Amino acid sequence: MRKLSKVLIISLVVLSLAFNSMLAVVFYADYLHLGQMLKVVLLMKGKALKPVSLGSMIDGASGGMVKALQDPYSDYLTAEDFGQLQDQMEGIFGGVGLILATGSAEELKVQGVLPGSPAEKAGVKKGDLIVAVNGKAVSDITAMGAADLMKGPVGSEVSLSVLREKDDKHEFKLKRELINLKSVEGKIIRIPDPVSYIKINSFSDHTVAELSEYWNELPKVKGVVLDLRDDPGGSLEAAVEAAGYFLPRGPVVHLVYRNGKRETYEVTGGKLNVPLIVLVNKGTASAAEILAAAIQDTSSGLIIGTRTYGKGVVQTIYDLGGNTGLKLTTAKYLSPLGKDIDQVGIKPDVAVEEEGDKDTVLAKALKLLAERIN
Amino acid sequence: MHIIYRTDIIPGVLNLTGRCFLLSERKKVLLGILTVFVLFSVLVTGTVAGLIISNYDHLGRMMQVIGLIKTDYLKPVTPTQLIDGAMKGIVDSLGDQYSVYLDPKENKQMFDQIEGRFGGVGIVLSLKDDKHLVVLKPIKNSPADRAGIKAGDIIVKIDNVDTSTITQEKAVNMMRGKEGTKVTLTVFRESAKKNLTFIVTREAISVPTVEGEMLPGSSDIAYINISQFSSDTDKELDQVISDLQPKHPKGIILDLRYDHGGELNAAVNSAGYFVPNGQPVVYIVDKYGNTEVHKPDKNEYLGLPVVVLVNEETASAAEILSGAIRDYKTGTLIGTKTFGKGIVQTIYQLDGGSGVKLTTAKYLTPNKSDINLKGIEPDVKVELGTGQTVVQPPDSVSDFDDQLKKAIEVLRTKM
């Protein structure tokens, strides 16, 4: 017994000595900047006027490390952010009713305002340039990040700073409402042969069900125009399932993880047997780019419009417990032929610029489709 | 820090004492030192263990974040990059906008700013218009001046970036940069009714922070404007005052409007001209209640009637000066309530060129009043007339705004 306690004490002392020498080395040699960090903690404790607990400093460090990745899509989620994100995933989320177009990573423009939505009631107008959301500058958090910030629990508030003309700045405080934006809209256009025009606004759990409704019309049409303009993406699974309608049997997308592990999503496909034209623009992003790239790679349709946004990375959300979470970019995706579109976008087969109010891109699409039908 | 101190001191003690002791005594000393060292080690380890246990939740989450970034994040990240980020996050956890971790580049920029020196083109922007970047004036003989940029030009593009999409602060940062590098400025000139493009090479710019003149139309009133307090501001003020003294002013207008503050010592020394000799200008109180008294280096009180112009953008070091003049009643404050920044930041240098700026103290005016978040109420409240802008220094009587006019009126009654 006495021997045991002696051994215990000696090992404790040896451990302490080892630990202290380690601390000393870290502090002196500034190993990996750990010495600096220790100094910062000591200064915060000893000098900062405002008292701060070690716990909040540690949480601050966690958040700071995620920010250090300089990845606009990765985020340390505090209790408030995390709850909001979970609501969004479960489909209980509100919005302000804006249809947004991303000009570039730093530009977010109002493409349309839904009738009766909070944005319309407050007076946000088509063409307004959004410069900040909740006080965060779009140039700092990227257009996609800003668009995400507008979503949140129904009844909660979001503030927008908007530039109307060059110097005409407006501030709006909007209360989020449940927005019923259909994921898919469609109509028949006669050119004079009947063709199906299908617009996918975003990819959600409802996309495939809504898409199948329009599919029932297909036997009657001679061609399909798939409009993916200003589609910011959404659910990866929905995009893959939707791809099943347009692609032949085979891969839709490959996910590549950090360790080089690959995951390939495939579809049985083979449902479409009329010519297909896909409309894209700078606002076509993420899941919408997956679909467009797959159509291009498999030559299932002609891509026309302008170069797409170029978001080729996928995020995973981790629950860290204590109501906090971590959203981390964990994979990039490659098109069926292995192309990486991140920060590059998809180059359309036929480049057509959007001009003013007239939909020149759709007009061009219908013209090309007519040529292909005959 | 104490750990290092201990390991350092042991060889020193042995060298000093080794020769004088007998072997057994030497052993005793050694044993004693060893015991202290071991006790100390155990104490430190125990404290650290205690801190770990009491912050188990937070530390656990941090370890998870580190682990996930290491294994799952798409791109490889160096530990140093993460720790630098962690330091930023630790300082941000104070929730104090004035406290920041500065990486080596930001740290250098901060010092250049305090010293009033940086690489730039030499454009002073007008504060009149917060929607446009209007050139108030090019600094004389600066790159912008030589290139032909004129007062009133509106900067519409910087290196082809549309200035209406970025903040004024960002625009200023874009114009600044390393000496010798080039920046392309596109300006709209009203008189030419068109955009003009200039390619300007940046140079070391040093901005004068004090300007003085005899007030246009009044041969007995000196006008002094301090735009900010850099480390040389007190010396600049010495020069301006010695230039003005031969003109025998009978009163002084000290314009501190839009002075956002800066270096504390420069403000304290500047106060020497305006408060009675030997009197404290400001008290700095740290978190433990320790109080430092700051007095000017020199006794140079002018004893002239003074009015001080202040507004809602008179902040920090400029409020220290205004507060001291108010408390000693050596001048009259005219204008609007000041900003109310009554806290002091200290910059600590870390290794490798980085630093941390922390709010470490609050300050009290000579009457021991804390102005933080409150500001200083002027003795005579005057708003600017509608559509009026402040021209500092005024070139002619037509530049006078309502606050300056009131200042002249009040000063005349005291002269």
Side-chain angles (χ1 to χ4, degrees), chain A residues 11 35 43 63 102 131 133 153 156 179 188 215 221 268 309 335 338 367:
Chain A
S11 44
L43 284 169
T102 43
V131 288
V133 182
S156 60
I179 300 295
I188 301 286
W215 216 256
V221 300
T268 45
Y309 184 84
S335 70
K367 200 173 152 227

Tab-separated table of all heavy atoms in Angstrom, chain A residues 11 35 43 63 102 131 133 153 156 179 188 215 221 268 309 335 338 367:
chain	number	residue	atom	x	y	z
A	11	SER	N	5.393	9.156	-9.794
A	11	SER	CA	4.979	9.298	-11.199
A	11	SER	C	4.259	10.629	-11.414
A	11	SER	O	4.389	11.265	-12.460
A	11	SER	CB	4.117	8.115	-11.649
A	11	SER	OG	3.167	7.812	-10.667
A	35	GLY	N	2.890	29.515	-27.976
A	35	GLY	CA	3.389	30.440	-26.958
A	35	GLY	C	2.651	31.765	-27.031
A	35	GLY	O	2.215	32.311	-26.020
A	43	LEU	N	-2.880	37.763	-21.170
A	43	LEU	CA	-3.165	39.199	-21.281
A	43	LEU	C	-4.653	39.467	-21.125
A	43	LEU	O	-5.067	40.419	-20.464
A	43	LEU	CB	-2.682	39.732	-22.643
A	43	LEU	CG	-1.172	39.941	-22.792
A	43	LEU	CD1	-0.813	40.206	-24.246
A	43	LEU	CD2	-0.712	41.097	-21.921
A	63	GLY	N	-14.372	29.119	-32.779
A	63	GLY	CA	-14.925	29.914	-33.877
A	63	GLY	C	-13.815	30.513	-34.725
A	63	GLY	O	-13.884	30.507	-35.953
A	102	THR	N	-27.016	36.043	-58.420
A	102	THR	CA	-25.652	36.333	-58.017
A	102	THR	C	-24.840	36.695	-59.242
A	102	THR	O	-24.599	35.859	-60.100
A	102	THR	CB	-25.022	35.102	-57.338
A	102	THR	OG1	-25.379	33.957	-58.113
A	102	THR	CG2	-25.536	34.935	-55.950
A	131	VAL	N	-26.330	44.954	-50.401
A	131	VAL	CA	-24.937	45.161	-50.000
A	131	VAL	C	-24.625	44.565	-48.628
A	131	VAL	O	-23.485	44.224	-48.357
A	131	VAL	CB	-24.511	46.656	-50.041
A	131	VAL	CG1	-24.390	47.119	-51.473
A	131	VAL	CG2	-25.482	47.537	-49.291
A	133	VAL	N	-26.455	42.036	-45.230
A	133	VAL	CA	-27.548	41.328	-44.570
A	133	VAL	C	-27.196	41.227	-43.094
A	133	VAL	O	-26.090	40.781	-42.758
A	133	VAL	CB	-27.738	39.911	-45.155
A	133	VAL	CG1	-28.912	39.213	-44.481
A	133	VAL	CG2	-27.951	39.972	-46.656
A	153	PRO	N	-36.019	31.318	-39.018
A	153	PRO	CA	-37.316	30.924	-38.474
A	153	PRO	C	-38.409	31.923	-38.861
A	153	PRO	O	-38.160	33.124	-38.925
A	153	PRO	CB	-37.093	30.949	-36.956
A	153	PRO	CG	-35.630	30.973	-36.758
A	153	PRO	CD	-35.021	31.559	-37.972
A	156	SER	N	-39.012	35.652	-37.314
A	156	SER	CA	-37.787	36.332	-36.911
A	156	SER	C	-37.495	37.465	-37.892
A	156	SER	O	-38.050	37.517	-38.976
A	156	SER	CB	-36.622	35.346	-36.884
A	156	SER	OG	-36.433	34.796	-38.164
A	179	ILE	N	-42.490	31.011	-46.932
A	179	ILE	CA	-42.560	31.347	-48.348
A	179	ILE	C	-42.874	30.079	-49.132
A	179	ILE	O	-42.208	29.062	-48.980
A	179	ILE	CB	-41.211	31.921	-48.837
A	179	ILE	CG1	-40.855	33.175	-48.062
A	179	ILE	CG2	-41.243	32.186	-50.330
A	179	ILE	CD1	-41.766	34.349	-48.243
A	188	ILE	N	-46.332	24.766	-71.294
A	188	ILE	CA	-46.125	24.293	-72.653
A	188	ILE	C	-45.989	25.510	-73.556
A	188	ILE	O	-46.775	26.445	-73.469
A	188	ILE	CB	-47.327	23.442	-73.136
A	188	ILE	CG1	-47.532	22.230	-72.203
A	188	ILE	CG2	-47.143	23.012	-74.586
A	188	ILE	CD1	-46.517	21.133	-72.347
A	215	TRP	N	-43.736	15.820	-65.982
A	215	TRP	CA	-43.245	14.734	-66.816
A	215	TRP	C	-44.389	14.006	-67.519
A	215	TRP	O	-44.223	13.457	-68.602
A	215	TRP	CB	-42.418	13.758	-65.975
A	215	TRP	CG	-41.296	13.239	-66.778
A	215	TRP	CD1	-41.211	12.004	-67.346
A	215	TRP	CD2	-40.142	13.941	-67.164
A	215	TRP	NE1	-40.073	11.887	-68.070
A	215	TRP	CE2	-39.382	13.081	-67.975
A	215	TRP	CE3	-39.666	15.245	-66.930
A	215	TRP	CZ2	-38.173	13.462	-68.538
A	215	TRP	CZ3	-38.466	15.606	-67.487
A	215	TRP	CH2	-37.735	14.725	-68.283
A	221	VAL	N	-44.985	16.400	-76.014
A	221	VAL	CA	-44.098	17.470	-76.477
A	221	VAL	C	-42.959	16.930	-77.345
A	221	VAL	O	-42.613	15.756	-77.288
A	221	VAL	CB	-43.530	18.285	-75.302
A	221	VAL	CG1	-44.645	18.927	-74.505
A	221	VAL	CG2	-42.639	17.418	-74.428
A	268	THR	N	-30.511	5.439	-63.049
A	268	THR	CA	-30.866	4.473	-64.100
A	268	THR	C	-31.234	5.227	-65.369
A	268	THR	O	-30.933	4.788	-66.461
A	268	THR	CB	-32.027	3.567	-63.649
A	268	THR	OG1	-33.013	4.390	-63.045
A	268	THR	CG2	-31.543	2.538	-62.661
A	309	TYR	N	-22.009	29.925	-61.741
A	309	TYR	CA	-21.385	30.502	-60.549
A	309	TYR	C	-20.064	29.836	-60.155
A	309	TYR	O	-19.100	30.499	-59.827
A	309	TYR	CB	-22.382	30.391	-59.389
A	309	TYR	CG	-21.935	31.036	-58.110
A	309	TYR	CD1	-22.123	32.399	-57.896
A	309	TYR	CD2	-21.340	30.290	-57.104
A	309	TYR	CE1	-21.719	32.994	-56.723
A	309	TYR	CE2	-20.928	30.879	-55.921
A	309	TYR	CZ	-21.115	32.230	-55.728
A	309	TYR	OH	-20.716	32.820	-54.574
A	335	SER	N	-17.789	16.448	-62.154
A	335	SER	CA	-18.807	16.050	-63.126
A	335	SER	C	-18.536	14.607	-63.556
A	335	SER	O	-17.467	14.064	-63.273
A	335	SER	CB	-18.747	16.998	-64.314
A	335	SER	OG	-17.560	16.761	-65.025
A	338	GLY	N	-15.271	13.954	-64.685
A	338	GLY	CA	-14.183	14.283	-63.769
A	338	GLY	C	-13.766	15.741	-63.763
A	338	GLY	O	-12.701	16.084	-63.268
A	367	LYS	N	-35.353	28.831	-80.521
A	367	LYS	CA	-34.920	28.797	-81.913
A	367	LYS	C	-34.075	27.545	-82.176
A	367	LYS	O	-34.289	26.807	-83.149
A	367	LYS	CB	-34.106	30.065	-82.213
A	367	LYS	CG	-34.011	30.395	-83.674
A	367	LYS	CD	-33.334	31.750	-83.880
A	367	LYS	CE	-32.642	31.750	-85.218
A	367	LYS	NZ	-31.284	32.252	-85.156
